Amino acid sequence: MLNFDVIVSSLPLYFNGTLVTLKLLLVALAVGLLFAIPLAVLRASTNPWASRPVWLFTYIFRGTPLLVQLFLIYYGLAQFVWVRESVVWPMLSSAWFCAMLAFAINTCAYTTEIIAGAITSTNHGEVEAARAMGMSPVTLYRRILLPSALRRSLPAYSNEVIMMLHGTSIASIVTLLDITGAAREVNSRFYLPFEAFITAAAFYLALTFVLVSLFHLAEKRWLVHLAPRT
Amino acid sequence: MKKTLASALLILLTSATLVSAQDAKKLKIGVEGAYPPFSQIGTDGKLKGFDIDIANALCEQMKAQCTMVQQEFDGLIPSLQAKKIDAVIASMSITEERKKVVEFSDKYYHTPARLLGKKSAGLTASVAGMKGKRIGVQRTTTHDRFATDTFKDSEIVRYAKQDDVFLDLAAGRLDAAVADQPAASLGFLALPAGRDFAFFGPVYFEAKYFGTGAGIGLRKTDTALRDEFNAAIKAIRANGVYKKINDKYFDFDIYGGK
């Protein structure tokens, strides 16, 4: 049966791992969202000079696996001498920075598409009404399009956040001891893979539960006008 | 109709396995494939190296049909226990800690561990000399245990593969690495990427950490198989097959004395 002594004695490792996972997740989400909003506006633009470059960016980063992106950033870039001698090397030599960079770019690409989709699917009547009121394009975005699009992005964005939480589990391949890293450590120390990974799974489940609850609250607050009538 | 077909197939399959069980013994050998020159994947995609050649020679000696199963080092013992593989031939050192869960054959080679780092860094191999330095090791190896216990004031960075340790050492993310001497000299120092690096400090042979050489890992219950492997190791040492494999990779006898 399950060896609970091993699980209990390695709990500190898992709690430290949870902090690492959360730090990676929150930084990646914050940076990703910050860049995703302006990129989404460009992506939804009718001007191809604005929308095509953003399309290319999201196509590349949604079209390649996160693991490959992390390998390219961490091991790939370090291969070139000019990178190792450049001013960005102190940052790129850190496993933390590389993991956060890879995760932030990846979630940024997905979030851009989510928000851009919400912007383009805005009810045309609202846009026409705003224009008839004499709103400039900037005011139109600030008052009508963005508030509405961001609200309607919430359900899709909650999926992205959960996927990103699970995506951070590859951080252990670049020596970071996140929850999965803790599980690998415990597995290799005690040769008990089931105990090691079922504990990790429980930690991820708990984190997902918290995230889902937060999004549930957010949707109640900001999406109540779209809730099904009873 | 479908049912009869299925049962016919089932009978065919079971009889096929029964027949093959009677002739040559079938073994699944767990190997690593990321530990040159002992175990690596060649440009043709095939496994090669000292461990692989030794495994093939032993299988031939034992008249067993062996299939190589390549996987990461920290998954080898769990796979052995889960019966996904029957033996581990992956430069695994015979240590007291591993003996608790694994049955070992006699050693098939014994080499020391060394510290290596950048030539120009002028590092000294002492607790004080390595203070605050980043030392790379392969996770759960004897080198990991040794470095963790010995260099208490250093930051020990653990990797899944030895290749990744050398990559980050070359990239400058690590100040030093603890590794097996022949693996480091042929797998890194002899390559263009390793030309600015060198061994420093003493040759580490401590049995407490590095055990009594590399052996073949087996399940605790497979003592008959262990005896077969031991006899096969003796046989290839005696008939010159071992020496031929040894000389293909090294210019010294890595069996390490008696």
Side-chain angles (χ1 to χ4, degrees):
Chain A
M1 269 323 285
L2 282 185
N3 187 334
F4 283 103
D5 293 347
V6 163
I7 296 179
V8 170
S9 70
S10 22
L11 279 180
L13 209 56
Y14 284 98
F15 280 115
N16 283 333
T18 308
L19 290 181
V20 173
T21 295
L22 278 178
K23 195 169 154 192
L24 285 171
L25 178 71
L26 294 180
V27 171
L29 289 176
V31 175
L33 186 61
L34 192 72
F35 284 92
I37 294 173
L39 284 175
V41 172
L42 292 177
R43 175 85 176 89
S45 159
T46 47
N47 180 352
W49 290 101
S51 67
R52 294 305 277 180
V54 182
W55 168 84
L56 186 67
F57 162 73
T58 62
Y59 173 69
I60 290 172
F61 284 94
R62 295 193 309 156
T64 50
L66 186 51
L67 183 63
V68 172
Q69 293 164 14
L70 182 57
F71 269 134
L72 275 176
I73 291 174
Y74 186 80
Y75 288 116
L77 289 180
Q79 177 187 329
F80 304 108
V81 177
W82 59 268
V83 173
R84 298 208 297 268
E85 283 167 357
S86 70
V87 285
V88 291
W89 179 246
M91 285 188 283
L92 276 180
S93 71
S94 138
W96 273 102
F97 181 82
C98 290
M100 283 174 178
L101 182 69
F103 297 161
I105 294 177
N106 190 275
T107 184
C108 179
Y110 280 94
T111 313
T112 300
E113 287 296 329
I114 291 171
I115 301 174
I119 292 175
T120 46
S121 67
T122 306
N123 189 335
H124 216 68
E126 291 179 31
V127 182
E128 281 174 358
R131 290 221 177 100
M133 297 281 293
M135 285 189 194
S136 69
V138 175
T139 320
L140 171 69
Y141 260 100
R142 191 169 53 84
R143 288 209 192 142
I144 310 293
L145 282 174
L146 278 181
S148 159
L150 289 177
R151 286 167 190 232
R152 281 177 290 116
S153 303
L154 267 177
Y157 188 61
S158 75
N159 271 339
E160 167 56 21
V161 169
I162 291 167
M163 292 305 289
M164 203 58 228
L165 167 68
H166 298 163
T168 61
S169 66
I170 62 171
S172 60
I173 60 158
V174 293
T175 72
L176 296 178
L177 271 184
D178 68 332
I179 298 175
T180 307
R184 294 180 71 158
E185 187 75 25
V186 171
N187 170 36
S188 53
R189 204 180 286 168
F190 300 100
Y191 308 116
L192 292 171
F194 192 82
E195 281 83 344
F197 289 104
I198 200 77
T199 314
F203 273 79
Y204 281 113
L205 271 179
L207 285 182
T208 306
F209 180 78
V210 173
L211 289 174
V212 168
S213 312
L214 286 176
F215 273 99
H216 188 69
L217 286 178
E219 284 176 26
K220 258 173 124 175
R221 169 97 173 73
W222 287 302
L223 261 190
V224 73
H225 62 291
L226 291 181
R229 308 270 156 105
T230 47
Chain B
M1 183 58 203
K2 254 186 189 162
K3 254 188 190 160
T4 38
L5 237 165
S7 48
L9 208 71
L10 199 73
I11 291 165
L12 219 88
L13 276 172
T14 29
S15 54
T17 44
L18 280 176
V19 168
S20 61
Q22 276 157 5
D23 44 55
K25 180 206 293 279
K26 286 195 172 174
L27 288 176
K28 285 205 211 75
I29 312 275
V31 297
E32 194 187 354
Y35 195 62
F38 292 97
S39 189
Q40 68 189 105
I41 295 170
T43 41
D44 56 355
K46 287 192 182 116
L47 285 160
K48 59 174 192 174
F50 180 80
D51 281 345
I52 311 298
D53 288 352
I54 288 288
N56 283 325
L58 291 175
C59 289
E60 197 173 312
Q61 184 68 35
M62 289 160 58
K63 300 211 167 29
Q65 267 185 33
C66 295
T67 357
M68 304 285 169
V69 181
Q70 184 234 335
Q71 60 172 108
E72 280 185 9
F73 190 78
D74 62 3
L76 284 167
I77 291 180
S79 288
L80 183 68
Q81 290 174 326
K83 302 202 173 178
K84 293 204 164 77
I85 51 179
D86 304 304
V88 175
I89 304 187
S91 296
M92 189 176 274
S93 303
I94 307 166
T95 61
E96 288 306 318
E97 202 172 27
R98 290 197 182 117
K99 270 194 207 161
K100 286 180 201 152
V101 286
V102 175
E103 187 69 29
F104 275 107
S105 73
D106 297 338
K107 68 164 181 175
Y108 65 97
Y109 77 84
H110 193 186
T111 50
R114 295 292 301 268
L115 268 166
L116 61 153
K118 203 155 195 148
K119 279 177 195 165
S120 54
L123 295 166
T124 40
S126 63
V127 181
M130 297 308 294
K131 188 175 171 163
K133 304 283 183 216
R134 287 165 61 84
I135 305 178
V137 291
Q138 189 182 7
R139 186 186 292 133
T140 70
T141 55
T142 51
H143 310 121
D144 181 358
R145 296 274 181 278
F146 169 74
T148 308
D149 283 4
T150 313
F151 302 110
K152 287 195 188 299
D153 296 336
S154 313
E155 188 185 344
I156 309 295
V157 189
R158 299 178 181 85
Y159 296 80
K161 297 193 186 84
Q162 186 65 50
D163 285 353
D164 293 344
V165 180
F166 293 145
L167 271 177
D168 262 4
L169 186 63
R173 287 195 181 105
L174 296 170
D175 297 302
V178 176
D180 178 68
Q181 184 168 26
S185 75
L186 293 160
F188 179 62
L189 297 177
L191 307 179
R195 65 169 178 263
D196 296 332
F197 297 83
F199 289 121
F200 63 96
V203 171
Y204 298 108
F205 253 124
E206 284 88 335
K208 184 187 162 204
Y209 295 108
F210 302 113
T212 47
I216 296 159
L218 304 155
R219 275 182 293 274
K220 275 277 170 208
T221 45
D222 286 349
T223 47
L225 189 60
R226 177 202 62 199
D227 296 340
E228 268 185 73
F229 269 115
N230 284 344
I233 293 172
K234 265 206 192 79
I236 64 165
R237 279 291 291 171
N239 68 13
V241 172
Y242 185 99
K243 187 170 163 21
K244 226 162 120 194
I245 298 171
N246 183 98
D247 294 350
K248 193 170 141 192
Y249 298 96
F250 313 104
D251 51 9
F252 60 100
D253 184 8
I254 73 160
Y255 188 74
K258 264 251 126 248

